[in-house]
Amino acid sequence: MRILVVGSGGREHALCWAIAASPLTTALYCAPGNAGIAREARCVPIGIDDLDGIIAFAREENIDFVVVGPEAPLVAGLVDKLDAAGIKAFGPTAAAAVLEGSKAFTKDFCARHGIPTAAYGRFTESGAAKAYIEQQGAPIVVKADGLAAGKGVIIAETVDEALAAVDAMMADRAFGEAGAEIVIEEFMEGEEASFFALADGTSVIPLAGAQDHKRVGDGDTGPNTGGMGAYSPAPVVDAAMAARIMARIINPTVAGMAAEGRAFKGVLYAGLMITAQGPRLIEYNVRFGDPECQVLVPRLMSDLLPALIATADGQLAHLHLRWHDETALCVVMAANGYPGSYDKNTLIAGVEAAEANDHVVVFHAGTSRDQNGGLIAIGGRVLGVTALGETPAEARDTAYAAVDLIDWPGGFCRRDIGWRAIGRG
Ligand code: AMP
Ligand code: GLY
């Protein structure tokens, strides 16, 4: 089969790495890809927002199957357009991608279907939003409704902070048009985890749990990022918890979306708070997580590609996936300054040395080549150094030994990835 992957991050590198290894793959392209993806796929310079360019390329190259990595083209309707062009694709339609595209939709959807999540109000007018905050008190969470690259969420410790967040989002449009509507929710206490499942419109199969590290600094300090490291499985999501998550959250979501004429096909990524009352939904994403994908894919013993195709074809009921028991752990290396403005075009050496260990793979995100063929950093998150180990501690030690072989003065990483599973220090 001739496959096209859309995206350019570590997630798409992991997807390309697995798809390139599939015996079903005869040709693999990635739009636009990066320097690491170029090892697995032919990279084509088409941006993820150039939907017509992607369709035209898929037609010209007789692509059999398109795998869409990031949320923006899904929310913009890339899969609908591919369907209309008769090209099979992995990922939800725009009508189903609204689970990620609109937090307000998802909150109302959870209320309609009895899916446990934080109590909330939604507002298009700042006076009413502020009155709700005064009435609820703090801590309280203020969120921009639309896509804001993971940044449109403010956890306010005080009422004043929450009121300022309303002004920043609604009056100053700190997150652009994503702030035209805001959601204000109850602060949930507990341990955060992610859970992934494939859904083909009606049938669902669980993939696995994972934990991400969203803050930039050790000890979960500093600003939020796209994710500084992850591991899977996550001890907090044991088999009993996974069963509860499926029964209370994932299955009712897939059934509810089908009943509302928005059948969900693709990967459903539930961001969860594991609270004293059980798992509660923080938010949905309609794609693989980044860097969670980088730890799910290496654990999969089965071929990933047939699973993605079965998802698109409505054939998941017949699919059985096998997993390695090991823990996979990914340490993200980011450019100095990230998540603020960061250094660009700095040279990276030592990636081959890091990958000399059979238990290590380095997934690339913001990388490119300079005119001499040297590896350079061109993005915020740049590398995902991923290791497998018998235990979380072994995976962590192997990953950091590989990180220490990478010579990149322009970058940094957290040194405590995996602390919830292993303990600090
Ligand atoms: P989100 O973009 O919705 O995933 O939110 C970003 C982060 O804010 C989450 O990963 C949580 O750490 C935190 N968060 C969001 N909503 C809540 C909530 N209702 N209670 C507690 N923490 C939250
Ligand atoms: N790692 C968080 C995300 O992919 O949204």
Side-chain angles (χ1 to χ4, degrees):
M1 292 180 78
R2 300 173 60 77
I3 315 287
L4 170 65
V5 172
V6 175
S8 63
R11 165 182 51 213
E12 288 77 24
H13 191 185
L15 294 171
C16 285
W17 179 77
I19 293 168
S22 171
L24 296 175
T25 302
T26 54
L28 177 59
Y29 297 89
C30 187
N34 62 42
I37 291 175
R39 295 189 306 214
E40 340 280 349
R42 287 254 308 270
C43 294
V44 290
I46 305 173
I48 61 166
D49 48 3
D50 181 5
L51 306 194
D52 293 331
I54 293 167
I55 310 267
F57 177 83
R59 278 215 172 104
E60 274 158 33
E61 291 295 332
N62 291 315
I63 298 297
D64 299 301
F65 190 54
V66 179
V67 178
V68 185
E71 63 277 17
L74 294 168
V75 172
L78 178 56
V79 169
D80 308 67
K81 287 193 170 217
L82 287 163
D83 277 348
I87 301 163
K88 193 185 295 193
F90 176 83
T93 59
V98 68
L99 275 180
E100 176 163 1
S102 168
K103 293 183 194 305
F105 170 87
T106 299
K107 296 301 290 188
D108 289 350
F109 175 87
C110 288
R112 289 197 289 281
H113 297 280
I115 294 162
T117 182
Y120 71 107
R122 47 187 288 195
F123 304 93
T124 51
E125 198 265 302
S126 68
K130 289 180 176 176
Y132 182 78
I133 290 168
E134 302 275 8
Q135 176 209 338
Q136 297 291 316
I140 194 157
V141 182
V142 183
K143 300 185 175 185
D145 175 59
L147 292 182
K151 297 186 188 85
V153 174
I154 292 175
I155 314 278
E157 307 289 344
T158 64
V159 166
D160 283 345
E161 241 181 90
L163 298 177
V166 170
D167 284 333
M169 286 183 198
M170 303 197 93
D172 308 340
R173 286 288 199 270
F175 305 107
E177 281 315 296
E181 176 163 358
I182 62 174
V183 170
I184 301 178
E185 21 176 278
E186 167 199 1
F187 175 77
M188 297 187 285
E189 213 146 344
E191 183 168 342
E192 243 182 288
S194 310
F195 193 81
F196 296 83
L198 294 176
D200 68 4
T202 45
S203 294
V204 192
I205 59 169
L207 293 174
Q211 272 178 316
D212 187 11
H213 302 63
K214 291 219 167 93
R215 303 293 198 97
V216 73
D218 284 4
D220 292 335
T221 54
N224 261 324
T225 69
M228 294 301 293
Y231 53 93
S232 175
V236 69
V237 184
D238 59 12
M241 182 56 69
R244 281 175 86 176
I245 293 166
M246 288 297 290
R248 296 292 317 279
I249 297 176
I250 304 285
N251 290 335
T253 297
V254 174
M257 290 294 279
E260 296 190 9
R262 297 176 184 268
F264 187 92
K265 287 185 175 189
V267 58
L268 197 52
Y269 158 3
L272 302 166
M273 193 67 83
I274 309 299
T275 72
Q277 301 90 49
R280 297 174 76 195
L281 184 73
I282 299 173
E283 62 158 7
Y284 269 129
N285 298 304
V286 298
R287 49 165 175 91
F288 283 105
D290 186 341
E292 291 93 328
C293 189
Q294 292 90 306
V295 293
L296 290 181
V297 162
R299 289 189 54 225
L300 190 60
M301 201 184 284
S302 307
D303 188 352
L304 176 68
L305 184 56
L308 302 181
I309 294 169
T311 301
D313 282 344
Q315 296 292 319
L316 277 182
H318 310 290
L319 192 83
H320 177 70
L321 291 177
R322 295 177 61 220
W323 296 86
H324 294 289
D325 288 334
E326 283 106 323
T327 293
L329 183 143
C330 173
V331 178
V332 169
M333 300 184 75
N336 290 339
Y338 177 81
S341 64
Y342 49 80
D343 298 345
K344 280 203 185 120
N345 302 320
T346 52
L347 264 176
I348 305 167
V351 172
E352 297 75 16
E355 286 190 306
N357 183 330
D358 281 349
H359 295 99
V360 173
V361 50
V362 178
F363 293 119
H364 291 225
T367 65
S368 187
R369 298 277 171 193
D370 65 12
Q371 22 344 355
N372 308 316
L375 188 66
I376 54 169
I378 59 161
R381 293 188 296 169
V382 173
L383 298 173
V385 180
T386 307
L388 280 170
E390 293 293 332
T391 62
E394 191 185 298
R396 173 198 59 188
D397 293 347
T398 305
Y400 279 110
V403 163
D404 291 337
L405 293 170
I406 293 176
D407 178 14
W408 180 31
F412 72 98
C413 65
R414 276 181 64 163
R415 297 299 311 191
D416 64 346
I417 300 304
W419 69 268
R420 282 183 197 280
I422 306 163
R424 292 191 191 273

